[in-house]
Amino acid sequence: MHARLAGNLPAEVTTFVGRERELEQVRRLLLSSRLVTLTGPGGVGKTRLARRIATERRKDFDDGVRLVELAELRQGDLLAGHVCRALGLSDTSTDPAESLAEYLSDKNLFLVVDNCEHLVRPVAALVSELLASAPALRVLATSRHVLRVAGERLFEVPPLSLAEVNSQQGVGTGKVNSEAVDLFLDRAAAVVGELPQDTRFQRSVIELCRRLEGIPLAIELAAARSRAYPVEEILARVGRALDMLTTGPWSAPARHRALKAAISWSFELCSSQEQLMWARLSVFAGGFDLLAVEGVCADVALPRAEVFDLLASLVDKSILHRHHGSARFTMLETVREYGREHLFALGAEREFRLRHAQYFAALAERGRTDYFSDREIGWFQDIGANHANIRLAMQSCLSDLSEPRIALRIASRLRMYWASPGLITEGYQWLRKALDNSRGPSEERADALWVCAFIEVLLMEVERAARTMDECRALASELALERVQAALMICAAHADFVLENVAAAAVHAQEAVAYGRKVGDPAIIGEALFIVATMAVASDDPGAERRAAEALSFLEAHDAQLWRANALWVNGLVRCRADDLDAATKYFVDAIEIFRQLGHDLGVAMCLEGLAWVAARGGESIRAALLLGAAGSIWATGPRRMMQLSFSEFAVKGKVEAIVRAGIGDAAFDQATREGAVRSLNVLDEIAGEPARGDPPHHPDPEASLRVLTQRERKIAALLARGMSNRDIAADLVVSRRTVESHVQHILTKLGFHSRTEVAAWINRLESQG
């Protein structure tokens, strides 16, 4: 056997953009493992990342770095000979694998094996043999499927980073913090030359990269179109990206000449059952779990018993991505669109979109049994996790599926889900669309009308709500729907309060209690009891304490978590008014915990303001202002006019603000509320009594410095010191980006810093001190 030891890495002909975090992570993996596999869907940049790593490591291996490309190889029994040729070996042995293992046994070599997915088994067998025979060998593989070799370490290559959502950072300056944007600009400049510098162009590029989900292949193909089309036109057509981006550079392999070809490559490597599952999964939006897949996709052709293994197989092949720490799966939009086209070609698109809509209508329908019960929190969490699917189901039913009554059922069953600042407008729009598309008399329409009236009252659109209630009342009478007639009394009570007629609101609420008992609906009784107690507080009724206790007792007896939390809040107001601040605090804290589990931000905001009242009455004016600011940041996510906000301003916020302004002055109050608005919304930290304002502690002793941060904050500070973005930290810790942003602001406030750079320098200084 003869070898020409050198390197065979092709020279880079285009700029390598970004990937600093990924490069560092792969470097670390290679220090501890002799086999690292880069996984991810086609076009995400596995090959380019592997080649850059290989180029960097040339000097670390005495026998060089070698690249083995498998894209054009189809026969597994030819693999060992193919590797020999890639290494520059001439071999006439009848067992090239054995000869290859013998040759590499004393070599210090870095081997890159690219595009293994279609030859996973033979590659796994050969790599295992080579690693066992050559102790100094390191292997970096790229594959859409895991190799499942002992000692294999996996690294899933993510798409390129995008500009922060809703961030305007850099727009108009030519500097946008986004690897995807950087790649587009680099590749577009190569074909166009000078690019526009105006804000419109930059915004279009940011949006285009977002629509292409940061996938390098898709972005490069789009950038290549810049020669013929302005970016605005490319963006306008990107909805049909799979059809538009049909050609790539002639020097690229055939599968990389189009985004569609890249995805087709993965599709062809799937079994027929996997292909069918892929196609059916395309009807989902956002994420989905095993139960949803079984409910929507399983049938005789795809038995339920096979779904579990098929999902796992599609994860291994990088078609699906499983959320860390959960059993939910996601699919890149481009991959989903390819599956949808295959589903259409099978003539099954409408069938499975309807099954999808019916499944999520059933999830919404669980509100009849799970709402106002001990199952309520789980139901709300399921609804929140599947918001995108529910939205898609309603849209489909109102368009080409022509099933408006399904949309009516979904929208109306989610009444209390919509009743939150960030969701109420969307919920109202869905209700109106569904009502406009299903005008015939039905129980579904009656339900939707009273829910629509309820939402209109919350939005303080009382005149419109009155017209909706009149129509609903007539329909409920025609169809003899006593439950709907009882529910309308709750709407009437809320409307009275908006019209500042507290006494009338109390009367209507008491009538609703009686009517709810008549029809045997505990949910109507419980909600009405809550309104009675709330109106008693609003009117300074001496019987407010009794009313609040009665509501809480009833709601606790029915394990109705949402309304129990509301009743805790009312009891907190009663105890605060009576100067029983410890009891008030406990009520608010307990309510917050439930609201947070429900994802009910509106309730959290109300309780924060309740705690602000406690703080103000206890002489903690700065803390009170901070809590008001934190609550205000939640209210700001919704419409300016909401009934709950009006009540809060009437009964709580106005009182707190008057007390605090009188105590510390307007300037200090405004500054503290602004600070509260950007502070962490981790309510438990706020309640624990952390330093609210003033000079943050600076300790010469590193250990003392660390003690001012919670364990989670220390972890995030350490990740900041490594230069990680909020998006990267969120992915690393498996939390939302909003949570990370809150913690970062908390760290800055506690330490008295003004930038992430200062935090990083501080951490590095502590580490250098040992």
Side-chain angles (χ1 to χ4, degrees):
M1 178 175 282
H2 175 70
R4 303 184 307 275
L5 289 178
N8 65 341
L9 294 175
E12 294 184 343
V13 296
T14 57
T15 307
F16 186 85
V17 176
R19 297 294 198 193
E20 290 302 320
R21 177 172 179 261
E22 290 82 0
L23 286 168
E24 179 57 30
Q25 290 175 318
V26 176
R27 291 184 195 114
R28 289 202 304 269
L29 288 175
L30 285 167
L31 290 175
S32 60
S33 177
R34 295 174 58 213
L35 170 62
V36 174
T37 302
L38 307 184
T39 66
V44 82
K46 301 183 296 295
T47 295
R48 194 66 192 272
L49 182 62
R51 292 185 182 186
R52 170 50 64 106
I53 288 286
T55 300
E56 288 181 349
R57 303 214 60 180
R58 275 176 171 163
K59 296 180 181 179
D60 299 334
F61 292 87
D62 296 337
D63 296 311
V65 175
R66 305 295 297 192
L67 171 67
V68 180
E69 297 183 271
L70 302 182
E72 304 303 323
L73 184 68
R74 290 291 180 271
Q75 295 79 21
D77 58 346
L78 301 181
L79 175 63
H82 182 79
V83 175
C84 287
R85 287 187 290 277
L87 292 177
L89 307 176
S90 58
D91 182 33
T92 58
S93 168
T94 58
D95 189 349
E98 182 181 348
S99 298
L100 186 60
E102 181 182 351
Y103 169 74
L104 291 174
S105 61
D106 62 348
K107 297 296 186 292
N108 179 25
L109 185 131
F110 187 70
L111 186 66
V112 179
V113 187
D114 195 23
N115 295 302
C116 302
E117 52 270 3
H118 58 302
L119 297 171
V120 167
R121 289 187 178 180
V123 169
L126 180 62
V127 168
S128 293
E129 184 178 352
L130 297 182
L131 289 172
S133 303
L137 178 67
R138 289 287 191 279
V139 178
L140 179 62
T142 75
S143 177
R144 300 180 196 183
H145 307 179
V146 297
L147 300 183
R148 299 191 184 281
V149 173
E152 179 185 29
R153 296 293 299 274
L154 301 176
F155 181 80
E156 184 173 0
V157 180
L160 294 172
S161 67
L162 301 169
E164 294 284 337
V165 176
N166 296 327
S167 172
Q168 303 302 315
Q169 179 184 7
V171 174
T173 68
K175 299 177 180 178
V176 177
N177 185 22
S178 164
E179 293 173 336
V181 170
D182 290 344
L183 178 65
F184 181 90
L185 295 176
D186 181 86
R187 301 304 189 256
V191 298
V192 175
E194 186 172 349
L195 297 173
Q197 297 297 317
D198 58 282
T199 299
R200 180 187 176 193
F201 171 79
Q202 291 183 22
R203 290 184 189 278
S204 296
V205 172
I206 290 171
E207 176 62 14
L208 176 61
C209 291
R210 186 190 69 80
R211 295 287 298 276
L212 294 175
E213 298 185 292
I215 299 174
L217 174 59
I219 291 169
E220 294 203 19
L221 291 167
R225 290 293 192 182
S226 298
R227 183 190 299 273
Y229 301 104
V231 69
E232 293 81 5
E233 187 164 347
I234 298 173
L235 174 60
R237 300 187 182 191
V238 79
R240 298 301 305 160
L242 291 178
D243 287 336
M244 183 187 74
L245 303 175
T246 55
T247 59
W250 288 110
S251 59
R255 69 186 188 287
H256 276 188
R257 290 181 190 159
L259 179 59
K260 187 177 239 181
I263 300 174
S264 295
W265 176 254
S266 284
F267 189 80
E268 291 166 3
L269 297 174
C270 291
S271 68
S272 59
Q273 291 293 84
E274 290 167 346
Q275 291 176 350
L276 188 59
M277 176 61 82
W278 179 348
R280 294 181 179 183
L281 290 175
S282 70
V283 300
F284 289 97
F288 47 86
D289 59 19
L290 174 63
L291 287 177
V293 176
E294 290 176 335
V296 174
C297 300
D299 62 6
V300 175
L302 209 60
R304 183 181 293 260
E306 297 181 12
V307 169
F308 183 88
D309 288 338
L310 285 171
L311 289 178
S313 180
L314 289 176
V315 170
D316 285 346
K317 292 182 166 84
S318 299
I319 306 306
L320 297 180
H321 303 274
R322 186 177 68 81
H323 289 202
H324 294 291
S326 78
R328 289 187 67 81
F329 303 88
T330 57
M331 179 185 286
L332 287 174
E333 177 60 25
T334 45
V335 174
R336 185 173 76 91
E337 186 172 347
Y338 187 92
R340 188 169 62 236
E341 290 184 350
H342 185 64
L343 191 65
F344 178 81
L346 293 173
E349 184 181 25
R350 191 184 191 284
E351 174 189 352
F352 284 93
R353 287 177 62 205
L354 181 58
R355 291 179 64 167
H356 172 273
Q358 291 169 333
Y359 178 87
F360 288 102
L363 174 60
E365 196 72 24
R366 273 175 43 198
R368 282 191 177 273
T369 56
D370 292 7
Y371 172 66
F372 213 81
S373 77
D374 59 354
R375 300 180 299 279
E376 193 172 62
I377 289 177
W379 179 68
F380 270 98
Q381 290 173 342
D382 286 346
I383 294 296
N386 285 290
H387 185 103
N389 281 305
I390 288 167
R391 179 187 288 156
L392 176 62
M394 288 188 290
Q395 180 60 46
S396 297
C397 289
L398 294 174
S399 57
D400 53 310
L401 289 183
S402 300
E403 295 284 354
R405 291 177 67 168
I406 295 179
L408 274 178
R409 290 202 302 273
I410 296 174
S412 59
R413 295 293 178 266
L414 302 184
R415 174 175 63 100
M416 293 311 302
Y417 176 70
W418 301 129
S420 190
L423 296 171
I424 191 167
T425 301
E426 179 182 346
Y428 181 59
Q429 290 172 338
W430 283 120
L431 283 161
R432 273 295 163 201
K433 288 178 182 177
L435 286 166
D436 289 345
N437 281 271
S438 183
R439 294 188 171 276
S442 65
E443 184 175 352
E444 290 96 339
R445 181 170 179 82
D447 274 334
L449 281 169
W450 96 258
V451 172
C452 189
F454 178 85
I455 297 295
E456 286 169 338
V457 172
L458 296 190
L459 291 170
M460 301 179 71
E461 297 284 352
V462 182
E463 292 184 6
R464 183 176 296 176
R467 293 192 296 271
T468 305
M469 282 190 281
D470 286 343
E471 181 184 353
C472 182
R473 194 173 290 111
L475 182 58
S477 177
E478 176 187 345
L479 300 178
L481 301 173
E482 289 188 323
R483 181 186 56 81
V484 174
Q485 292 172 326
L488 282 172
M489 293 183 182
I490 290 177
C491 293
H494 286 315
D496 289 333
F497 172 76
V498 172
L499 294 173
E500 300 182 2
N501 193 339
V502 175
V507 170
H508 269 123
Q510 289 165 347
E511 290 176 348
V513 172
Y515 214 139
R517 286 175 174 150
K518 176 184 176 182
V519 300
D521 193 322
I524 291 175
I525 300 170
E527 290 188 39
L529 286 172
F530 165 77
I531 299 171
V532 170
T534 305
M535 293 305 103
V537 170
S539 60
D540 289 329
D541 184 341
E545 182 176 352
R546 176 176 58 83
R547 299 288 194 184
E550 180 186 4
L552 181 59
S553 176
F554 181 88
L555 293 163
E556 287 184 333
H558 286 81
D559 284 325
Q561 297 304 305
L562 173 60
W563 290 99
R564 174 174 173 263
N566 280 312
L568 288 167
W569 168 75
V570 169
N571 278 269
L573 297 182
V574 170
R575 300 320 307 158
C576 189
R577 189 173 65 178
D579 273 333
D580 187 354
L581 303 185
D582 288 342
T585 297
K586 185 177 187 310
Y587 280 126
F588 291 134
V589 170
D590 289 349
I592 282 172
E593 193 56 39
I594 298 172
F595 283 133
R596 292 174 72 208
Q597 291 182 62
L598 290 166
H600 202 72
D601 288 346
L602 181 149
V604 172
M606 294 192 304
C607 290
L608 284 172
E609 290 180 341
L611 288 169
W613 195 8
V614 170
R617 293 187 76 117
E620 297 179 85
S621 296
I622 295 297
R623 180 173 171 77
L626 280 168
L627 290 167
L628 285 182
S633 70
I634 297 176
W635 290 116
T637 65
R640 293 183 179 180
R641 285 166 51 84
M642 278 190 72
M643 187 195 73
Q644 296 92 331
L645 177 59
S646 176
F647 180 88
S648 174
E649 291 175 340
F650 169 75
V652 182
K653 183 172 181 274
K655 295 179 180 180
V656 178
E657 185 169 338
I659 295 171
V660 176
R661 285 189 184 276
I664 63 176
D666 292 343
F669 175 83
D670 292 340
Q671 180 180 346
T673 52
R674 283 194 299 270
E675 184 177 336
V678 297
R679 286 280 297 271
S680 168
L681 292 181
N682 185 328
V683 184
L684 296 181
D685 282 353
E686 293 286 353
I687 295 169
E690 60 159 282
R693 279 194 72 228
D695 294 331
H698 290 280
H699 305 285
D701 174 20
E703 288 302 317
S705 298
L706 286 173
R707 280 197 295 271
V708 305
L709 302 181
T710 66
Q711 184 175 358
R712 174 52 62 91
E713 289 166 354
R714 295 181 200 179
K715 175 65 174 175
I716 289 176
L719 296 177
L720 289 176
R722 286 163 49 188
M724 292 173 65
S725 67
N726 288 352
R727 176 177 179 268
D728 293 337
I729 294 173
D732 192 84
L733 298 181
V734 198
V735 297
S736 70
R737 189 182 302 179
R738 181 180 177 184
T739 297
V740 174
E741 291 168 353
S742 297
H743 279 303
V744 169
Q745 188 59 48
H746 221 155
I747 293 166
L748 294 174
T749 301
K750 285 185 175 183
L751 300 177
F753 294 140
H754 301 288
S755 70
R756 302 158 64 94
T757 304
E758 290 178 281
V759 175
W762 177 74
I763 288 288
N764 291 330
R765 184 166 62 251
L766 293 183
E767 290 179 348
S768 67
Q769 293 173 5

